[in-house]
């Protein structure tokens, strides 16, 4: 039976090719376009999966010809680690989002979905380093939409401006209406207009009210606790992401940080699909 790494690589290659629409493209065209986009995406997927720096990843792959062969390359044809690093930023965000969307298709989603937000911090660095690179080391507000049955992450939203949860929710949910049945969320997403729009789409909102009045408490008392407490699944997924990939993000630029988060989520989906 193939190893888990081999199966992950096969699946990552297939989804990477679909994400750029280049199933038949050669992995490398010497003297022309260089390495195909799907090869670069797969290498980044392997980097996240193996949790390795760029240089270390390429060194290890040179000792794994069977894995490299799945990319249509020989170990002598592997790119330099600087090429892999530089090409990541050149790929548009749309490509990484398509990869995430394709990773969701590996699951048969259920009837209940949960949405929640947290902040992911940039890796800790000295004040002197921050000034020298003129980098921003603030946290990234990250909102996940998760299927409670399969624990697949359906979508992710990243922001540096820290908007309110209600301003993010409809944007995320609109992109996934066809996959929603019942949406559960905590009081941070308490917005009557959001509930109304979901009901118009035939989706059941289970969102707790902030209790300003006795009527709000009455609404909360009517909520099905068993359904609402499925929301805890998304909190466990945030914990699992931090444990699997670390509690900080490494990219220096905001657009690099967004790409990094979306890639980590897609890789987690692919990894989870191997045991589903």
């Amino acid at each position: 039976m193939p190893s888990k790494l081999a199966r992950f690589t096969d699946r990552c290659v297939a989804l990477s090719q679909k994400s750029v629409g280049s199933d038949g493209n050669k992995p490398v065209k010497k003297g022309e376009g260089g390495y195909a986009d799907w090869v670069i995406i797969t290498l980044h997927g392997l980097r996240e999966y193996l949790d390795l720096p760029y240089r270390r990843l390429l060194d290890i792959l040179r000792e794994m010809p069977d894995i490299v062969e799945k990319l249509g390359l020989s170990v002598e044809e592997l790119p330099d680690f600087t090429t892999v690093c530089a090409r990541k930023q050149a790929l548009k965000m749309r490509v990484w989002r398509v990869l995430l969307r394709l990773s969701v298709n590996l699951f048969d989603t259920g009837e209940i979905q949960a949405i929640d937000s947290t902040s992911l911090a940039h890796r800790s660095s000295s004040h002197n380093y921050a000034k020298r690179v003129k980098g921003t080391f603030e946290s990234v507000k990250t909102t996940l939409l998760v299927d409670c049955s399969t624990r697949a992450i359906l979508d992710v939203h990243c922001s540096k401006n820290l908007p309110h949860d209600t301003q993010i929710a409809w944007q995320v949910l609109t992109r996934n209406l066809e996959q929603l049945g019942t949406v559960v969320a905590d009081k941070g997403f308490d917005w009557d207009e959001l509930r109304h729009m979901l009901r118009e789409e035939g989706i059941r909102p289970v969102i707790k009210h902030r209790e300003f009045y006795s009527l709000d408490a009455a609404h909360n008392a009517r909520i099905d606790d068993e359904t609402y407490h499925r929301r805890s699944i998304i909190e466990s997924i945030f914990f699992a992401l931090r444990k699997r990939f670390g509690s900080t993000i490494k990219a220096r630029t905001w657009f690099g940080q967004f790409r990094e988060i979306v890639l980590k989520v897609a890789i987690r989906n692919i990894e989870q699909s191997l045991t589903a």
Side-chain angles (χ1 to χ4, degrees):
M1 181 178 178
S3 68
K4 189 175 180 181
L5 175 59
R7 289 182 288 127
F8 172 85
T9 306
D10 285 335
R11 196 156 288 186
C12 196
V13 166
L15 297 188
S16 298
Q17 289 176 336
K18 289 180 181 178
S19 69
V20 294
S22 58
D23 301 43
N25 283 12
K26 292 183 178 180
V28 61
K29 295 181 180 179
K30 296 181 180 178
E32 297 181 22
Y35 293 92
D37 289 343
W38 65 265
V39 172
I40 300 299
I41 294 171
T42 302
L43 288 172
H44 279 284
L46 286 168
R47 175 177 174 264
E48 293 291 350
Y49 181 76
L50 297 172
D51 191 23
L52 294 170
Y54 291 107
R55 190 193 300 267
R56 181 68 173 158
L57 170 69
L58 272 300
D59 284 346
I60 289 178
L61 286 179
R62 287 186 174 89
E63 304 300 325
M64 303 171 70
D66 290 344
I67 297 297
V68 175
E69 187 179 352
K70 295 179 181 297
L71 281 72
L73 301 171
S74 65
V75 292
E76 292 79 14
E77 294 177 310
L78 280 169
D80 187 76
F81 74 94
T82 57
T83 300
V84 179
C85 180
R87 287 282 300 277
K88 182 179 183 180
Q89 304 301 334
L91 291 169
K92 295 184 181 296
M93 185 63 166
R94 181 188 64 82
V95 172
W96 304 104
R97 284 207 162 275
V98 172
L99 180 67
L100 171 58
R101 178 73 61 174
L102 291 170
S103 73
V104 175
N105 294 338
L106 299 172
F107 300 87
D108 294 323
T109 55
E111 293 296 320
I112 302 175
Q113 292 73 40
I115 187 169
D116 203 359
S117 300
T118 192
S119 290
L120 298 178
H122 191 281
R123 59 183 174 183
S124 57
S125 303
S126 69
H127 180 67
N128 179 60
Y129 177 76
K131 286 180 62 179
R132 181 156 51 87
V133 300
K134 297 181 180 179
T136 55
F137 296 87
E138 303 168 356
S139 60
V140 176
K141 183 166 186 176
T142 305
T143 302
L144 296 184
L145 177 65
V146 171
D147 180 68
C148 294
S149 175
T150 61
R151 295 176 177 257
I153 301 174
L154 306 180
D155 204 350
V156 58
H157 180 281
C158 305
S159 175
K160 298 286 286 186
N161 298 323
L162 303 182
H164 195 272
D165 290 342
T166 57
Q167 303 305 307
I168 299 171
W170 184 240
Q171 180 180 346
V172 175
L173 296 173
T174 300
R175 295 197 296 250
N176 301 275
L177 291 175
E178 72 283 355
Q179 294 177 290
L180 302 179
T182 297
V183 174
V184 297
D186 63 17
K187 296 176 182 179
F189 295 87
D190 176 21
W191 184 28
D192 285 339
E193 185 66 19
L194 176 60
R195 295 185 182 93
H196 176 70
M197 290 187 292
L198 286 173
R199 291 191 183 102
E200 282 195 331
E201 296 292 337
I203 300 164
R204 177 192 175 200
V206 180
I207 304 171
K208 283 229 171 177
H209 294 252
R210 290 170 291 176
E211 297 183 1
F212 297 117
Y213 307 100
S214 58
L215 182 60
D216 296 326
H219 282 308
N220 288 341
R222 295 172 57 191
I223 288 178
D224 177 10
D225 285 341
E226 183 177 351
T227 300
Y228 178 74
H229 288 309
R230 299 294 296 278
R231 191 187 62 82
S232 63
I233 291 173
I234 197 169
E235 295 176 351
S236 68
I237 289 175
F238 276 126
F239 175 80
L241 282 172
R242 288 189 172 97
K243 185 175 181 181
R244 176 66 177 83
F245 299 108
S247 58
T248 57
I249 47 181
K250 300 174 183 176
R252 291 191 303 179
T253 61
W254 64 267
F255 49 87
Q257 292 168 5
F258 290 6
R259 284 166 170 75
E260 180 181 342
I261 292 170
V262 173
L263 176 59
K264 288 180 188 296
V265 167
I267 294 309
R268 182 189 182 277
N269 279 348
I270 297 172
E271 186 176 11
Q272 291 296 305
S273 72
L274 298 175
T275 58

